[in-house]
Amino acid sequence: MKIHIIGGGNLGVAIALGLSQFAADRKITVTRRNTSGIQYLEQKGITVNSDNKHNIQEADIIILTVKPYQVDTVLDEILPAISNKIIASAVSGLTLEALQAKIGEQHAAVRIMPNIAAEFAASATCIAFAEKHKTEAQKVISLFSDLGTVPVIDEKLMDAATVLGACGTAYALRYIRASMQAGIEIGFDSQTALAIAAQTVMGAAQMVMKENTHPEQLIDKVTTPQGCTIVGLNEMEHQGFSSSLIKGIKTSLQKIKG
Ligand SMILES: NC(=O)c1ccc[n+]([C@@H]2O[C@H](COP(=O)([O-])OP(=O)(O)OC[C@H]3O[C@@H](n4cnc5c(N)ncnc54)[C@H](OP(=O)(O)O)[C@@H]3O)[C@@H](O)[C@H]2O)c1
């Protein structure tokens, strides 16, 4: 299978690196106008090119990872060079209807919302598609299943998926940073504090996913009555921990919806 990624920035490169590591039988091309910063990808077997049309007619799936204002230019450039393609767009705010209208009925539009943990096969890639493109979407699902989980969602939730799944990476990292800062204050050097904080988050996430349980059930296992965990946790809640997170996520969603 040949994958053609247009827009070799943060997300495009993360997907390319993920696919090159976790899906060895796939040939990957990444394009961007200025390729100087991503030439190193060639050493990992990824083709890098500044021409968006480079071998594009051979691609099984074209993935768009450019900014919303760049997408029209890209499509105007590549559409005359392709026929009957699957075009998977990670471009935030670009609806299936708008994409399909732009690319025409001969191509299948699929909407994806991965995150940069795709590089480590740990993305939550939400996907939405029209029923008529179920078969083509299945190929995209199969591809991104190599890079983490692929929840199929109703397209009207795509903005929410952007906030929870893509912006969510930043929220989680801020939690790790705050834990690290606290860790330094209570005695660890920064590297040790970061290593403990990050591993603890990974462990908590793995428990939730592997045990398929509610976080609060697991919290019960950690909180001894009158113990140090519950007093800390309650203090965090008094300071607005859950509330600030919920408000932040809703603010991000308002921003995305304009
Ligand atoms: N970053 C994330 O975590 C994330 C997660 C989910 C979805 N997204 C969505 O993915 C898209 C890309 O986000 P990003 O953070 O990866 O942005 P980014 O780092 O700015 O990457 C965009 C890339 O597109 C390239 N580009 C611009 N015009 C181009 C053209 N005409 N032809 C080919 N390449 C072109 C740019 O490089 P040159 O200027 O050198 O061409 C740049 O490397 C956005 O729509 C974003 O909303 C991002």
Side-chain angles (χ1 to χ4, degrees):
M1 184 177 258
K2 294 187 173 120
I3 313 299
H4 191 93
I5 302 169
I6 300 181
N10 294 310
L11 183 62
V13 167
I15 294 171
L17 285 171
L19 289 175
S20 75
Q21 292 171 86
F22 301 102
D25 59 332
R26 286 165 177 147
K27 286 202 182 323
I28 305 144
T29 296
V30 181
T31 66
R32 65 180 285 177
R33 291 168 303 188
N34 177 0
T35 61
S36 59
I38 58 166
Q39 279 302 330
Y40 71 96
L41 295 177
E42 292 266 356
Q43 286 154 15
K44 298 173 188 290
I46 299 165
T47 303
V48 173
N49 208 288
S50 58
D51 178 5
N52 288 331
K53 299 194 291 301
H54 177 75
N55 288 343
I56 195 167
Q57 62 282 2
E58 292 171 15
D60 297 292
I61 299 177
I62 297 167
I63 300 175
L64 300 178
T65 51
V66 291
K67 299 278 191 198
Y69 63 87
Q70 296 159 337
V71 80
D72 274 347
T73 311
V74 166
L75 290 174
D76 288 342
E77 193 185 336
I78 65 167
L79 284 174
I82 56 172
S83 55
N84 302 315
K85 294 294 177 196
I86 301 171
I87 302 185
S89 164
V91 179
S92 28
L94 179 64
T95 64
L96 280 174
E97 191 184 5
L99 178 59
Q100 195 67 62
K102 178 82 185 171
I103 65 181
E105 287 304 316
Q106 64 159 309
H107 305 290
V110 175
R111 213 171 152 190
I112 52 171
M113 190 47 64
N115 65 45
I116 55 169
E119 180 175 347
F120 305 99
S123 171
T125 304
C126 290
I127 182 165
F129 48 87
E131 185 62 22
K132 65 181 173 183
H133 291 138
K134 213 162 102 180
T135 310
E136 293 91 339
Q138 199 50 52
K139 291 185 183 168
V140 181
I141 291 172
S142 163
L143 182 73
F144 278 88
S145 294
D146 286 338
L147 303 185
T149 60
V150 190
V152 177
I153 62 167
D154 193 320
E155 199 200 359
K156 67 176 187 293
L157 284 172
M158 202 41 106
D159 287 341
T162 307
V163 172
L164 206 59
C167 310
T169 306
Y171 312 144
L173 288 168
R174 188 55 70 80
Y175 169 86
I176 291 172
R177 191 196 77 169
S179 292
M180 174 194 171
Q181 287 174 317
I184 297 166
E185 201 171 319
I186 61 175
F188 293 103
D189 63 80
S190 61
Q191 274 189 330
T192 309
L194 178 58
I196 295 171
Q199 178 63 41
T200 304
V201 168
M202 191 155 80
Q206 277 183 359
M207 282 193 294
V208 167
M209 292 178 78
K210 290 199 171 141
E211 295 191 17
N212 194 21
T213 186
H214 192 286
E216 214 58 37
Q217 270 181 317
L218 295 168
I219 288 174
D220 275 351
K221 291 189 185 179
V222 189
T223 46
T224 311
Q226 295 186 320
C228 61
T229 310
I230 192 64
V231 293
L233 208 49
N234 284 345
E235 179 60 22
M236 288 176 202
E237 291 301 346
H238 291 315
Q239 299 295 333
F241 182 73
S242 295
S243 169
S244 69
L245 202 64
I246 293 163
K247 280 187 176 172
I249 288 171
K250 285 167 70 180
T251 303
S252 290
L253 186 62
Q254 275 165 14
K255 171 76 178 172
I256 224 173
K257 285 183 180 294

